[in-house]
Amino acid sequence: MSQPRIVNCPTCDKEVVWIEESEFRPFCSKRCRLIDFGDWANEKNTIAGDPVYINEDESDEKLQ
């Protein structure tokens, strides 16, 4: 059997073994997963490109 893949946690860079038992993969812990989620929620992380949907506030301004 081959060795399991090892990846780095996107938040803290700690090594994580990529197996089913690694509950928070690709993160090393629940804490790192929540930090990443918070960054997305606070819009620190984004995906490049034009938005697929119109923000409700922006659409209201366009109607006036």
Side-chain angles (χ1 to χ4, degrees):
M1 186 174 189
S2 64
Q3 293 291 327
R5 174 181 262 179
I6 296 177
V7 299
N8 289 33
C9 174
T11 303
C12 72
D13 214 33
K14 180 179 176 182
E15 290 185 347
V16 179
V17 180
W18 192 272
I19 56 175
E20 260 187 70
E21 291 79 18
S22 298
E23 181 179 359
F24 303 108
R25 68 181 175 193
F27 304 100
C28 66
S29 65
K30 184 175 183 177
R31 178 183 177 273
C32 282
R33 183 177 68 179
L34 289 173
I35 289 170
D36 184 75
F37 180 73
D39 286 346
W40 283 100
N42 291 321
E43 297 183 355
K44 289 181 183 177
N45 295 342
T46 59
I47 298 173
D50 294 328
V52 177
Y53 62 92
I54 297 174
N55 185 330
E56 290 180 20
D57 295 334
E58 291 174 4
S59 63
D60 289 343
E61 291 173 6
K62 291 179 183 176
L63 295 174
Q64 296 176 357

